[in-house]
Amino acid sequence: MNVDFSEIFTYSNITFAIAILGALLSVYNFTKDIVQNRFKIHIAFREYYRSGGIPRTKRFVFFMNIENCSRTALSISRMQLKRESKVYDFSGVSQRVYSKKEHSPDTFTSVSFPQYIPDMGVIGSHFVVETDADIPNDLSDWELIIMTNRGKKRYKISKLISSK
């Protein structure tokens, strides 16, 4: 059996093989780029409480981490808390947050907005929101909305608490 390779390795066959290989590499790189740079953030919810410094305030403090799980940096421009049809904006200005213990001298500073998170980075701190509602025991109908330069994400607070 004598195989003549000159019939297989012709100029047009080699050009066709290179074109197919180039197309496959392009599809692979495109898919890899989409997967690595997709907009994905993870919320590690720690706790929430009423700010203990100001009596009778309806200011809630959320202690949580926001993790950027993509290879592209993002900027959080705004955060909101939604309950039924009411929407409450988180404070965009850094504020002093008092400890949740009634007579504790501990104070913290809340996060201000906008907030930059580098690729595969995380911010974690206290986030302050003022509402007209008393602090609820059940947060099942509350929703956290995070607005970034890459889109908007919504999270049910009850799911964040259960994944704690």
Side-chain angles (χ1 to χ4, degrees):
M1 181 159 153
N2 216 355
V3 178
D4 187 13
F5 287 109
S6 63
E7 290 179 11
I8 296 172
F9 293 112
T10 63
Y11 179 75
S12 61
N13 285 348
I14 292 172
T15 304
F16 182 70
I18 291 172
I20 294 294
L21 184 62
L24 290 174
L25 285 173
S26 293
V27 168
Y28 170 76
N29 286 333
F30 177 73
T31 306
K32 181 181 167 188
D33 191 48
I34 293 282
V35 168
Q36 284 184 343
N37 293 321
R38 71 184 185 273
F39 176 44
K40 183 176 181 190
I41 55 178
H42 176 261
I43 308 294
F45 190 84
R46 302 288 178 230
E47 64 181 331
Y48 73 97
Y49 53 90
R50 183 178 66 82
S51 181
I54 303 170
R56 293 186 205 92
T57 186
K58 295 191 178 177
R59 187 167 83 157
F60 298 119
V61 179
F62 286 81
F63 181 51
M64 60 188 160
N65 295 338
I66 301 174
E67 180 181 357
N68 181 6
C69 299
S70 68
R71 299 220 181 263
T72 305
L74 66 89
S75 179
I76 298 175
S77 57
R78 204 167 154 197
M79 284 180 32
Q80 296 178 327
L81 191 63
K82 182 178 179 183
R83 181 178 185 214
E84 296 163 358
S85 63
K86 292 193 175 192
V87 178
Y88 309 100
D89 279 313
F90 278 81
S91 176
V93 184
S94 184
Q95 295 183 13
R96 180 172 290 165
V97 177
Y98 295 91
S99 172
K100 65 181 180 177
K101 298 175 184 139
E102 286 299 319
H103 298 290
S104 174
D106 296 337
T107 61
F108 308 98
T109 304
S110 68
V111 171
S112 61
F113 294 107
Q115 194 62 235
Y116 172 80
I117 307 177
D119 61 328
M120 304 304 283
V122 68
I123 59 167
S125 188
H126 298 82
F127 298 86
V128 176
V129 62
E130 290 191 33
T131 71
D132 59 0
D134 290 323
I135 191 162
N137 293 329
D138 178 27
L139 291 175
S140 60
D141 57 342
W142 291 75
E143 185 176 37
L144 178 67
I145 303 167
I146 300 177
M147 293 170 223
T148 73
N149 62 330
R150 298 182 60 204
K152 184 191 293 189
K153 290 280 187 175
R154 296 173 176 266
Y155 298 92
K156 286 289 204 184
I157 299 247
S158 58
K159 289 185 180 178
L160 294 176
I161 291 172
S162 64
S163 67
K164 199 160 65 159

